[in-house]
Amino acid sequence: MNAPYDGDRAQGTGGPGPAQGTAPGTPVPGQVPPPAPAPDQDPYVRDAYDYDPYRSQDLSAQDPVAEALYDRASHPPPPPGTYQEPGPLYAAPQAPGPGPDPRVWAQTPPPEPDGPSRHLPYGDHAATTQFVGVDSLVTSASDEQPEPDAFTHLYRDQQAAPGAPADEAPVATPAPSKPAGKAASLLKSSAVMAAGTIVSRITGFARTLVIAGAIGVTTLNDSYQVANTLPTIIYILVGGGALNAVFIPQLVRSMKTDEDGGEAYANRLLTLVVTLLGAVTTVCVLAAPLFIRLMSPTIAGDPKRLDVAVAFAHYCLPTMFFMGVHVVLGQILNARGRFGAMMWTPVLNNIVVIATFGAFIWAFGGFTTSGVSEATITPEGVRLLGIGTLLGLAVQSLAMLPYLRDAGFKPRLRFDWKGHGLGKAVGLAKWTFFFVLANQIGLVVVTQLATAAGTAADKLGHGGTGITAYNYALLLWQMPQAIITVSVMTAVLPRISRSAHDGDAAAVRDDISYGLRTSAVAIVPCAFAFLALGVPMSTLLYASAGKDAVNIGYILMAFGLGLIPYSVQYVVLRGFYAYEDTRTPFYNTVIVAAVNAGVSALAYFVLPARWAVVGMAAAYGLGYLAGVGVAWRRLKTRLGGDLDGAHVMRTYTRLIGACVPAAVAAGAAAYGVTQVLGSGALGSLAALVAGGIALGAVFLLAAKRMRIEELNSMVGMVRGRLGR
């Protein structure tokens, strides 16, 4: 038996019923609505009007069509006392009466710019009443607060607890606020970081261009590169890898479990980093000659080059302290959902360095006119370049302080390290140390070999074939990785850490798959673009280096396709870090470093001096290709044998299939243009434009035929944005 609804309850056959076409509760013309009697105690409907404060926020418990089309702002509930007197249950329908009383059911007018034109019912204000449509009701459902129930006063007798007065309405429990959709939040965070990284990389390229214009790309720049790379190697070895890989999950967990939101843990971590790096920096500055000899025996064999390199190192080594401060402050902000500062502050460093080397050009002239070398550079010139390099990192780290104040974090020195979880983090960082050690050993080997090969090739008249050319090509090659993959995974990593902490392997797998497929849409075409257009890219960007820029282009082409496994490796390792597994990445990095160093040594001894560094660039990608095979199998086992491999491989296979003909067309177009216009700045620009157009057109056409889901979604999103 169906229970009668409230409008029919207590109505009989002889009483008046509601007029057809009249909304329930509309007063009959000429009739004054009497006070509504207290409802009878009906055992069938006793709990029918229990107030559920969460139902208005649960879209799955509502009728999606009726709820979306019903505009609450345009149809407010009637005020109390406007319901007609209940009549008999089975009354004959009355003849249609006049329409609704406009004083009761009038539509709320839209807001007026100069204020309300009349009084609105129920206290609404015309200037503040919000009118929403279907889109707002659906997309902003998670952000709405539950509306008060206008009919609560009618059913107080049913809602009151036993023994409570019937005239006291219960206080509704507010519905918990729901977080915004993770996809929208992720896209917003990734967009902020990508924008900051793009600007940082652009200014970084401008910095390399100014450096090349000031001191060239030959042996003097090699000495500067060795001295400037040394603090980065030591910093990552001492604690940089642990900060990036271990302490992000620890910060997230402390924010989730600690009563103070993780602020004390973050201050202890900051104090530990400042103390450790301060001591290490002091020791390293004193041992600068030893480190230069270790990095490059070729430089150590030339007394003049050794003196210049050691002088550069004395200014560059203190930058490791500011690197650590910048990273730990940035990770504290990342754990609090502030991702932009860490990506934008490096722009300040680039600006300072650009100004420094610009001042060097103004004071001593450019490399093409001065021909400056280790034998001719003055102590004042070395001092200017060294102080500018140090000042850039100092400004970059100190610029994080305003962001911390805005986030509500107050940096304080806290030395109470014992018993607060730092010991666990240090234990986890043990394997990260070995991970970084293996990686840096491979980098030292490559630096030694590239410096020796560059010196030998320079004596034969082939400049731009040493460690400077290697680093410049590597910087350009890593740009898509830093803009796309790092930005996406930096936003995803805290979420992966939470899922791993909750034991949700499916969520970890989905986020890893998302990171791989989303980044591949840009990474795979960029890898083939480097292969096809590496030479015109380098001859355009490093036109100030003259013919030496062509050799940088060959190195960039050799790096090219290695970008794909390099990006995949980065994403897959985030899964291990989310589970606080640092041992597996260590073993994986040993494989990568061993393959990289072994193939690089083979290239040094087998290839001519001019092409040795080109072979080393190819070895870099081969090392990561070997590492991906090992890391993929281990993570697949960790997640229960499922890593969404079929979906991921299908995306990468289709993208590669679309890029192969695109790269062929781009390379042919660029080669044809350079044969006509030459390889100068103008010819390189024309070749790059022609090749880029050919690459993009053929790739998009092939990708459309192959129905690449991720690319079609991205194109549709961009077209939708432009259509607005």
Side-chain angles (χ1 to χ4, degrees):
M1 180 179 70
N2 296 328
Y5 68 96
D6 181 58
D8 293 336
R9 187 166 47 157
Q11 291 185 355
T13 57
Q20 294 181 355
T22 304
T26 303
V28 178
Q31 178 181 356
V32 178
D40 297 335
Q41 295 295 331
D42 189 342
Y44 295 100
V45 296
R46 180 170 50 190
D47 299 327
Y49 304 99
D50 282 349
Y51 177 68
D52 184 2
Y54 303 101
R55 185 176 180 81
S56 63
Q57 299 293 319
D58 186 6
L59 293 178
S60 62
Q62 302 172 358
D63 181 0
V65 177
E67 189 69 19
L69 296 179
Y70 184 75
D71 194 338
R72 296 180 185 274
S74 298
H75 302 280
T82 58
Y83 287 96
Q84 71 177 78
E85 181 181 3
L89 180 61
Y90 300 106
Q94 293 182 350
D101 188 351
R103 293 172 299 175
V104 178
W105 290 99
Q107 299 292 323
T108 305
E112 297 180 7
D114 297 330
S117 60
R118 62 181 178 81
H119 178 70
L120 299 178
Y122 329 126
D124 290 340
H125 194 278
T128 58
T129 302
Q130 181 182 7
F131 295 86
V132 296
V134 176
D135 290 341
S136 298
L137 285 172
V138 176
T139 59
S140 303
S142 62
D143 300 329
E144 293 180 354
Q145 296 296 329
E147 298 181 3
D149 190 352
F151 307 99
T152 303
H153 64 284
L154 300 176
Y155 313 110
R156 292 175 182 172
D157 59 321
Q158 298 177 11
Q159 294 178 343
D167 56 346
E168 295 182 2
V171 179
T173 304
S177 60
K178 296 184 180 181
K182 67 177 184 179
S185 176
L186 177 61
L187 289 176
K188 181 180 179 181
S189 301
S190 299
V192 171
M193 289 184 295
T197 306
I198 290 173
V199 177
S200 176
R201 291 289 172 167
I202 291 175
T203 54
F205 279 121
R207 179 186 64 183
T208 60
L209 296 178
V210 176
I211 293 175
I215 58 177
V217 293
T218 54
T219 55
L220 177 59
N221 204 338
D222 286 352
S223 300
Y224 175 79
Q225 291 295 323
V226 170
N228 198 28
T229 304
L230 183 59
T232 304
I233 294 176
I234 299 175
Y235 157 71
I236 295 177
L237 184 63
V238 171
L243 286 176
N244 288 319
V246 176
F247 287 102
I248 292 180
Q250 295 297 324
L251 285 171
V252 171
R253 281 159 177 74
S254 66
M255 289 181 61
K256 185 177 181 180
T257 58
D258 294 356
E259 295 181 356
D260 62 347
E263 182 171 346
Y265 183 91
N267 277 316
R268 294 186 186 99
L269 174 61
L270 177 62
T271 305
L272 177 63
V273 170
V274 169
T275 304
L276 178 63
L277 286 181
V280 172
T281 300
T282 303
V283 174
C284 290
V285 170
L286 297 176
L290 176 62
F291 285 116
I292 293 297
R293 289 186 174 91
L294 179 63
M295 288 290 293
S296 177
T298 302
I299 293 178
D302 187 337
K304 188 61 179 178
R305 292 188 67 184
L306 178 61
D307 292 341
V308 173
V310 171
F312 279 136
H314 282 151
Y315 293 105
C316 293
L317 281 169
T319 60
M320 76 173 72
F321 175 82
F322 296 103
M323 290 180 192
V325 173
H326 176 262
V327 169
V328 70
L329 296 181
Q331 302 297 17
I332 292 172
L333 288 172
N334 287 352
R336 284 160 171 75
R338 306 292 184 93
F339 300 99
M342 198 171 184
M343 299 298 177
W344 281 95
T345 49
V347 176
L348 301 176
N349 176 27
N350 294 330
I351 293 174
V352 172
V353 175
I354 289 172
T356 299
F357 280 84
F360 183 90
I361 295 175
W362 177 79
F364 301 99
F367 178 77
T368 56
T369 58
S370 66
V372 64
S373 64
E374 294 92 336
T376 59
I377 189 171
T378 63
E380 292 79 11
V382 173
R383 189 179 305 115
L384 172 62
L385 300 182
I387 292 176
T389 302
L390 175 59
L391 183 62
L393 265 297
V395 171
Q396 173 180 311
S397 61
L398 296 178
M400 301 290 289
L401 297 179
Y403 292 95
L404 288 172
R405 288 196 298 266
D406 184 65
F409 178 80
K410 298 180 179 179
R412 293 188 179 91
L413 293 179
R414 300 196 57 160
F415 294 92
D416 53 335
W417 300 334
K418 188 176 181 180
H420 294 283
L422 289 177
K424 177 183 178 182
V426 172
L428 294 171
K430 172 183 64 177
W431 290 105
T432 304
F433 170 79
F434 292 127
F435 166 93
V436 174
L437 178 62
N439 197 21
Q440 299 308 308
I441 289 176
L443 179 58
V444 170
V445 171
V446 171
T447 301
Q448 293 176 347
L449 296 175
T451 304
T455 302
D458 188 66
K459 293 179 180 179
L460 299 175
H462 301 293
T465 55
I467 188 62
T468 298
Y470 184 92
N471 288 339
Y472 282 7
L474 183 65
L475 180 65
L476 179 59
W477 176 74
Q478 289 178 334
M479 184 175 182
Q481 162 82 1
I483 294 175
I484 304 298
T485 310
V486 175
S487 297
V488 170
M489 295 310 298
T490 301
V492 171
L493 183 57
R495 198 173 72 203
I496 295 179
S497 300
R498 295 186 187 97
S499 301
H501 180 68
D502 297 337
D504 191 352
V508 175
R509 177 204 62 205
D510 292 342
D511 286 331
I512 294 293
S513 174
Y514 169 83
L516 288 170
R517 292 181 288 104
T518 303
S519 60
V521 174
I523 292 297
V524 175
C526 287
F528 281 88
F530 290 135
L531 178 63
L533 305 173
V535 172
M537 286 182 187
S538 299
T539 53
L540 175 62
L541 292 173
Y542 302 107
S544 60
K547 60 184 181 61
D548 296 339
V550 176
N551 294 322
I552 301 177
Y554 293 144
I555 297 173
L556 181 59
M557 292 177 64
F559 272 117
L561 296 182
L563 184 63
I564 300 175
Y566 179 67
S567 175
V568 173
Q569 168 94 339
Y570 182 89
V571 175
V572 172
L573 290 187
R574 303 309 105 178
F576 295 108
Y577 294 143
Y579 284 102
E580 299 181 350
D581 179 5
T582 54
R583 180 182 300 184
T584 301
F586 160 68
Y587 291 132
N588 188 261
T589 302
V590 169
I591 296 173
V592 173
V595 173
N596 185 19
V599 178
S600 296
L602 181 64
Y604 175 77
F605 289 109
V606 173
L607 298 177
R610 180 183 180 182
W611 303 105
V613 179
V614 175
M616 297 177 195
Y620 197 86
L622 291 176
Y624 279 97
L625 181 62
V628 166
V630 177
W632 184 274
R633 289 194 299 269
R634 289 179 178 268
L635 184 60
K636 181 179 179 181
T637 303
R638 183 64 182 264
L639 296 180
D642 183 14
L643 201 53
D644 201 17
H647 195 183
V648 173
M649 290 303 299
R650 182 167 60 251
T651 300
Y652 276 83
T653 302
R654 291 180 178 180
L655 286 171
I656 293 174
C659 286
V660 170
V664 172
Y671 179 78
V673 172
T674 53
Q675 291 301 307
V676 176
L677 301 179
S679 58
L682 180 60
S684 299
L685 177 60
L688 192 58
V689 171
I693 293 175
L695 180 72
V698 176
F699 171 73
L700 291 176
L701 180 61
K704 183 177 181 180
R705 294 294 181 88
M706 294 182 180
R707 299 180 180 178
I708 300 176
E709 175 185 351
E710 291 76 13
L711 182 62
N712 292 337
S713 300
M714 179 178 294
V715 172
M717 181 183 66
V718 172
R719 293 176 63 183
R721 293 291 182 183
L722 295 177
R724 294 182 182 180

